[in-house]
């Protein structure tokens, strides 16, 4: 009947099956196929009931995102859904995998829904800067009530089958989707159940119609943390239409909102980020078909903040971990912290009440490196000094089983040197997690000179399995993220010498959308670490040194670039810091000048982009989009700005190169000279994105 949608008949039940790998997205062909299938089933006099289901790994995962921004092709999804909903014969959606976005909207237009027990159902459009555009904001509140609908639509996270059943989103949990759907359709026919058209069922809206605070409170709770994003508010408005307007009117307003968002810069950036994340998992230069090594057990060395967070990430994904320390005391402390963390999450309702015990049971605490012997992947998270890392890897070479992947969590050290301590450099690589490792999603996977392709594939795949976002990088000081960050840090410090205050610099950076500015970040990390390292290396940084000499080490001492009162983490500007800066500048014979916010923004962002250009030129990152992924998931770059390299393209590379050249001269700083790649692209009027098409042409 159609390439991607099949129609079969089992006696009086028609089975319409979407089969469009990988995720059965609603391309024009799939929309057309569903429409034809439903029409044919309605027209067939032998057919009494219809099941809509999917082949492959999942139910429909949404609209085909690659079609957005292109001229629309018929049939429109809303028209297909109206035909399903108007069917005089019962239509049952039978769900497995993930029914997301347009996929759930298809299911909501059916009269009944059943799902297998591990299915997930959601409307994640906000995560792409959109709102559901095919009736989701109108039908979901009618199915589950406005409170849960707001949570799902404004928050974007899916729910499981059990919660869906409890809230009336599905009718039954079934064993297999197609067979379960068919059995359910027969039950509907046997019981002569009336068709449930959500469009006509306002019963679950009544409470919120009578008391609008049910809706407004839910919206307030879900939009508390949406810094700078437009879509969650537009999505909340759309749910409001379900309460306030007749169905057809609500549907029309929803569509208007959707079309506006599809064309917005924010959504374009968020869709770019979606594909960038998936692209990053494809490793450049690895032979096609390279298989991952099997990872059944992981060993993590070091139960400190980093090691503990890494171990938690694996246990969260159900992977057993041997957690190794040098002494019982350290081990006990580390295990205690993990248990407390999980218990706190369970107390907040973030994980089930029995999860902490289950996850702790996956962690086997041991003293002594010889305990790595059963692990397929070993991740070292000990002190950041080369001597210690080398010692650890020398021993791992002795104890780890053949073929185990040996990873260092170093944030800047040379992995080639670490690998040279072993007789198996092909198994050695970096897995740089970000703190707190159980929360932050990024994992920079560092490919050393001799890392074997299958070791690299193993690290990338296992990162995805534990819900991290991997990006492959090469060996250099600080890899991609911290190397770029160092350029920002350098300029931030220089700005203080020129007259800006920490709070002014940080305000510009947070207004741009970053979660924190460089000085608040310094206070959080602790200023004493840098101070000690400067002392060791005989380097001075007068303002930062003066702060540390005054005992201001950051949050941990209640004072740093800011003051922190009553144990709070909120940074408060401190007149003492301003005085200290003035005194330091006076001592150095320097005068403060007024520094404008625009200059601050340029000097915070452009040097990072310049460094990004060097990183690309050196092949440390394979694609500009990999750099963007690193900043999105490791440093909280605002997703609606796509990432630093994407943002740079939107500013214009000529503008950036010109301003860098200007600041290089004006502030007498040769490090700000535009990098050769940036200069070339600027001169040719090109973007970083054009490098991706240059690369695919070359290949
Ligand atoms: C929407 O529905 C709007 C409607 O309300 C209104 C319409 C009018 N389109 O993630 P994976 C590709 S908005 C096109 O690695 P997993 C993906 O790029 C949409 N392509 O697999 C990748 O390609 P490649 C709302 C898509 O198993 C491949 O499929 N829906 C789409 O880890 C495998 O993906 C969403 O936002 C798509 N919709 O996770 C759901 N989805 O192999 C978005 C995936 O070439 N999707 N691809 O790199 C997901 O969240 C995950 O893909 C999913 C599977 C959980 C489904």
């Amino acid at each position: 009947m159609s390439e991607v949608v099949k129609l079969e008949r089992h006696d009086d039940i028609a089975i319409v099956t979407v089969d469009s790998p990988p995720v059965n997205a609603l391309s024009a062909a799939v929309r057309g196929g569903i429409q034809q299938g439903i029409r044919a089933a309605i027209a067939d006099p032998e057919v009494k009931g219809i099941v809509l289901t999917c082949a492959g790994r999942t139910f429909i995962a949404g609209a085909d995102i690659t079609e957005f921004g292109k001229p629309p092709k018929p049939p429109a999804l809303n028209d297909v859904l109206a035909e399903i909903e108007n069917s005089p014969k019962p239509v049952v959606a039978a769900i497995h995998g993930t029914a997301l976005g347009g996929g759930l909207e298809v299911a909501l237009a059916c009269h009944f829904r059943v799902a297998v027990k591990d299915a997930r159902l959601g409307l994640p459009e906000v995560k792409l800067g959109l709102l559901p555009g095919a009736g989701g904001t109108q039908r979901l509140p009618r199915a589950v009530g406005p409170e849960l609908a707001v949570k799902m639509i404004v928050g974007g996270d899916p729910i499981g089958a059990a919660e869906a059943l409890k809230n009336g989103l599905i009718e039954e949990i079934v064993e297999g989707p197609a067979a379960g759907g068919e059995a359910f359709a027969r039950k509907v026919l046997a019981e002569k159940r009336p068709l449930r058209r959500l469009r006509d069922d306002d019963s679950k809206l009544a409470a919120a119609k009578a008391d609008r605070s049910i809706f407004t409170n839910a919206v307030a709770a879900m939009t508390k943390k949406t810094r700078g994003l437009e879509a969650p508010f537009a999505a909340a408005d759309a749910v409001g239409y379900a309460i306030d307007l007749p169905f057809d009117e609500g549907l029309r307003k929803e569509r208007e909102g959707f079309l506006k968002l599809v064309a917005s810069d924010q959504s374009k950036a968020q869709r770019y980020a979606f594909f960038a994340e998936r692209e990053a998992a494809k490793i450049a230069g690895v032979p096609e078909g390279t298989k991952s090594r099997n990872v059944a057990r992981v060993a993590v060395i070091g139960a400190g903040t980093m090691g503990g967070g890494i171990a938690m990430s694996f246990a969260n994904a159900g992977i057993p971990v041997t957690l190794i320390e040098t002494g019982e005391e350290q081990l006990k402390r580390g295990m205690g912290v993990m248990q407390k963390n999980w218990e706190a999450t369970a107390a907040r309702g973030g994980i089930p009440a029995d999860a902490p015990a289950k996850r702790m049971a996956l962690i086997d605490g041991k003293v002594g490196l010889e305990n790595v012997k059963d692990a397929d992947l070993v991740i070292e998270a000990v002190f950041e000094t080369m001597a210690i890392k080398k010692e650890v890897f020398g021993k791992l070479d002795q104890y780890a089983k053949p073929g185990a992947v040996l990873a260092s969590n170093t944030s800047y050290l040379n992995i080639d040197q670490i690998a040279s301590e072993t007789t198996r450099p092909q198994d050695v690589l970096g897995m740089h997690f970000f703190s707190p490792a159980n929360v932050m999603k990024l994992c920079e996977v560092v490919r050393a000179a001799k890392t074997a392709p299958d070791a690299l594939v193993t690290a990338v795949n296992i990162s995805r399995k534990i819900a991290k976002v991997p990006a492959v990088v090469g060996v250099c000081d600080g890899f991609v993220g911290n190397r770029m960050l160092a350029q920002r840090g350098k300029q931030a410090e220089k700005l203080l010498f020129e007259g800006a205050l920490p709070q002014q610099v940080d305000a510009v950076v947070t207004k741009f959308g970053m979660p924190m500015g460089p000085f608040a970040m310094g206070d959080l990390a602790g200023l004493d670490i840098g101070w000690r390292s400067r002392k060791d290396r005989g380097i001075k940084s007068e303002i930062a040194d003066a702060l540390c000499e005054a005992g201001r080490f950051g949050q941990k001492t209640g004072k740093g670039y800011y003051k922190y009162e009553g144990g709070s983490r909120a940074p408060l500007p401190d007149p003492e810091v301003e005085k200290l800066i003035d005194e330091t500048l006076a001592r150095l014979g320097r005068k403060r000048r007024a520094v404008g916010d625009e200059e601050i923004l340029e000097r915070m962002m452009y040097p990072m982009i310049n460094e990004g250009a060097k990183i690309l030129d050196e092949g440390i990152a394979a694609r500009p989009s990999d750099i963007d992924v690193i900043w999105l998931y490791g440093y909280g770059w605002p997703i609606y700005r796509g990432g630093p390299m994407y943002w740079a393209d939107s500013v214009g590379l000529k503008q950036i190169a010109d301003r860098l050249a200007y600041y290089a001269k004006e502030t007498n700083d040769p490090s700000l000279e535009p990098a050769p790649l940036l200069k070339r692209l600027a001169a040719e009027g090109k973007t970083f994105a054009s490098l991706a098409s240059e690369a695919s042409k070359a290949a």
Side-chain angles (χ1 to χ4, degrees), residues 411-433:
S411 54
Y412 66 98
L413 293 172
N414 186 315
I415 308 281
D416 290 324
Q417 280 182 34
I418 295 175
S420 70
E421 289 302 303
T422 71
T423 55
R424 35 174 140 174
Q426 73 279 3
D427 297 334
V428 179
L429 44 75
M431 284 180 84
H432 177 208
F433 292 88

Side-chain angles (χ1 to χ4, degrees), residues 293-294 375-377 400-406 424 426-427 454-455 458:
R293 299 181 193 173
N294 185 39
D376 306 295
L377 165 67
K401 69 177 173 189
V405 174
L406 309 179
R424 35 174 140 174
Q426 73 279 3
D427 297 334
D454 66 335
T458 308

Side-chain angles (χ1 to χ4, degrees), residues 22-23 25 57 61-66 68 77 98 100-102 105 124-125 128 130-134 255 258 274-275 278 282 464:
V23 297
R57 66 197 217 215
D64 184 341
I65 306 167
T66 60
F68 293 154
L77 186 57
T98 43
L100 297 178
E105 291 175 304
E125 283 87 342
L128 297 169
L130 300 169
L131 55 82
R255 187 80 198 147
F258 174 81
F274 176 85
F275 288 113
R278 277 145 188 91
K282 295 171 193 146
R464 290 201 82 192

Side-chain angles (χ1 to χ4, degrees), residues 493-506:
E493 211 177 311
K494 280 182 68 179
L495 283 165
L496 295 192
F497 283 97
E498 292 172 39
L501 289 174
Q503 54 269 29
Q504 189 194 357
V505 175
D506 281 359

